[in-house]
C-alpha cells in the first residue's frame, strides 16, 4: 500500500480563519490602530477647517527624541510619566493616539496600555514617527519646522491618496 503526503506551503500550514473570525479580528484591529496617513489627514482637515480633530496625539518618547523631531501639535508625555502626568495633561473624554519611533519600537504600545489602564480611550499610530517622516509629513524639531520628501516605498509619489 502506498501513501502520499501532501506538502502544505508555509502560508497555509495554519489555515486561514473563518470569514467571521477574520472580520472580528480586523474590525478590532481598526479599533486599536490608526495609520500615519489617516492621522495626518485628520489633523490637516481640522486645521484647514479651524476645528478640533476629536483626538489628541501623544509622543511617548524621551525628551531627546522629542527634540529630534515630533508630530506638530503632539503632546509630549513619555511613557514613564503617564501615571503621574496624564490626568493633568489630558481630558479623559478625548481619545488619545500614541506614537513612538516606528514599527520596530513598542513604546507606543506600552504608552497606550498605560493610558487605557487609567481609563483613557486610546489608539496606537502604526509606523510611528519614522513613517510620519518617511511619508513626507511636516514635523517639528528643537530648531523649528522640518519636512522631507516622501519615500516612494511608503507613500504615493503623484497623489495624496494611496487608495487604501
Amino acid at each position: 500500500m502506498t501513501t502520499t503526503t501532501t506538502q502544505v506551503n508555509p502560508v497555509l500550514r495554519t489555515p486561514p480563519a473563518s470569514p467571521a473570525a477574520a472580520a472580528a479580528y480586523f474590525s478590532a484591529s481598526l479599533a486599536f490602530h490608526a495609520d500615519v496617513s489617516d492621522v495626518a489627514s485628520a489633523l490637516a482637515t481640522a486645521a484647514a477647517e479651524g476645528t478640533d480633530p476629536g483626538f489628541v496625539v501623544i509622543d511617548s518618547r524621551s525628551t531627546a527624541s522629542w527634540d529630534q523631531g515630533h508630530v506638530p501639535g503632539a503632546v509630549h508625555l513619555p511613557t514613564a510619566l503617564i501615571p503621574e502626568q496624564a490626568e493633568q495633561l489630558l481630558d479623559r473624554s478625548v481619545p488619545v493616539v500614541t506614537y513612538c519611533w516606528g514599527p520596530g519600537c513598542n513604546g507606543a504600545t506600552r504608552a497606550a496600555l498605560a493610558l487605557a489602564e487609567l481609563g483613557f480611550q486610546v489608539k496606537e499610530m502604526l509606523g510611528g514617527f519614522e513613517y510620519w517622516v518617511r511619508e513626507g509629513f511636516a514635523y517639528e524639531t528643537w530648531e523649528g519646522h522640518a519636512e522631507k520628501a516622501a519615500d516612494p516605498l511608503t507613500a504615493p509619489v503623484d497623489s495624496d491618496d494611496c487608495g487604501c
Side-chain angles (χ1 to χ4, degrees), residues 15-30:
S18 71
Y25 171 83
F26 292 117
S27 177
S29 179
L30 292 171

Side-chain angles (χ1 to χ4, degrees), residues 64-146:
S65 300
W66 167 268
D67 289 346
Q68 192 172 323
H70 56 272
V71 172
V75 173
H76 184 222
L77 182 55
T79 302
L81 300 178
I82 288 173
E84 64 188 63
Q85 293 184 5
E87 300 288 337
Q88 293 87 4
L89 294 175
L90 305 172
D91 178 343
R92 198 178 298 281
S93 69
V94 177
V96 177
V97 176
T98 63
Y99 76 89
C100 61
W101 274 113
C105 176
N106 66 1
T109 305
R110 289 192 307 272
L113 173 59
L115 288 162
E117 289 175 340
L118 291 173
F120 290 90
Q121 296 175 55
V122 63
K123 287 188 173 202
E124 179 181 5
M125 184 173 79
L126 298 176
F129 184 67
E130 175 189 353
Y131 275 74
W132 184 273
V133 174
R134 289 184 72 189
E135 290 190 24
F137 299 115
Y139 59 97
E140 302 284 331
T141 74
W142 68 273
E143 296 175 304
H145 178 84

Side-chain angles (χ1 to χ4, degrees), residues 24-49:
Y25 171 83
F26 292 117
S27 177
S29 179
L30 292 171
F32 297 115
H33 301 107
D35 70 22
V36 165
S37 183
D38 288 344
V39 172
S41 176
L43 293 175
T45 298
E49 295 174 353

